[in-house]
């Protein structure tokens, strides 16, 4: 599939909200079920300068979203962290790869970041495989990291270090 990536706009709020209405998208992130349009309107209209928000489109439909935050602490300005979601029916079709490629290119070639971090549920094998494909490695595990579907779940902390000096 031809996946196009662009910066998110405030007018994308309803479409981004729809991503997190799907069970796998909210179960695989820290989002709660039944998101509101107002929440996403607020997030997309007041994005801080150190946050980059992207959407993925297939045939004009927004099917994925990625937020990337560069640390503001002076001692961690070489670090960015990300979170993303993809509509259930578009998972496994290159959307996550396109979003990750975009943010890695930004981090390595424009922001001069050394490290990209993320947290992923330990049972999310598809996402873990995707991140490993892009050079992320598991650095640790948090037990009972989050509450999901009536039980506590563990999460891995993963990071990718760039080859920049």
């Amino acid at each position: 599939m031809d996946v196009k990536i662009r910066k998110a706009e405030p007018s994308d709020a309803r479409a981004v909200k729809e991503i997190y209405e799907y069970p796998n998208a909210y179960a695989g992130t820290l989002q709660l079920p039944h998101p509101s349009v107002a929440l996403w309107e607020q997030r997309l209209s007041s994005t801080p300068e150190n946050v980059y928000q992207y959407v993925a489109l297939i045939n004009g439909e927004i099917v994925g979203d990625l937020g990337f935050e560069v640390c503001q602490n002076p001692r961690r300005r070489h670090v960015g962290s990300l979170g993303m979601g993809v509509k259930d029916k578009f998972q496994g079709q290159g959307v996550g790869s396109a979003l990750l490629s975009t943010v890695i290119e930004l981090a390595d070639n424009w922001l001069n970041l050394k490290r990209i971090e993320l947290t992923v549920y330990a049972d999310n094998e598809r996402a873990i495989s995707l991140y490993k494909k892009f050079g992320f490695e598991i650095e640790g595990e948090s037990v009972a990291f989050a509450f999901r579907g009536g039980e506590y779940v563990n999460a891995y902390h993963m990071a990718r270090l760039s080859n920049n000096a």
Side-chain angles (χ1 to χ4, degrees):
M1 294 219 152
D2 185 28
V3 181
K4 301 214 180 309
I5 305 297
R6 67 167 171 76
K7 285 201 69 153
E9 301 289 336
S11 60
D12 296 329
R14 184 169 301 282
V16 173
K17 167 199 148 333
E18 290 173 3
I19 293 168
Y20 296 101
E21 290 177 339
Y22 287 85
N24 285 337
Y26 64 75
T29 66
L30 288 173
Q31 303 295 322
L32 291 172
H34 314 294
S36 72
V37 173
L39 169 75
W40 284 102
E41 285 173 345
Q42 190 274 328
R43 285 181 180 173
L44 295 176
S45 65
S46 61
T47 304
E49 191 174 301
N50 66 314
V51 174
Y52 302 84
Q53 192 80 28
Y54 295 97
V55 291
L57 299 94
I58 294 179
N59 297 325
E61 178 184 354
I62 293 177
V63 298
D65 148 77
L66 183 144
F68 183 67
E69 180 176 4
V70 178
C71 290
Q72 290 188 313
N73 182 306
R75 295 178 63 192
R76 286 194 35 95
R77 285 199 181 129
H78 64 289
V79 179
S81 61
L82 67 90
M84 73 173 168
V86 175
K87 281 186 177 179
D88 288 10
K89 65 183 178 179
F90 290 95
Q91 291 180 4
Q93 297 183 36
V95 176
S97 290
L99 286 164
L100 275 177
S101 293
T102 298
V103 82
I104 288 170
E105 197 270 338
L106 175 72
D108 288 356
N109 298 317
W110 299 100
L111 300 178
N112 194 29
L113 298 182
K114 180 71 176 169
R115 179 180 173 87
I116 301 174
E117 303 173 335
L118 60 87
T119 304
V120 60
Y121 292 126
D123 62 358
N124 191 343
E125 294 174 15
R126 178 180 263 171
I128 293 165
S129 176
L130 172 67
Y131 299 138
K132 285 182 175 180
K133 180 175 106 175
F134 281 87
F136 287 81
E137 296 181 12
I138 296 172
E139 295 184 331
E141 182 174 4
S142 290
V143 176
F145 176 79
F147 194 69
R148 178 190 69 192
E151 62 186 17
Y152 290 100
V153 292
N154 296 356
Y156 292 136
H157 301 278
M158 298 183 76
R160 174 194 175 273
L161 298 178
S162 76
N163 294 326
N164 296 344

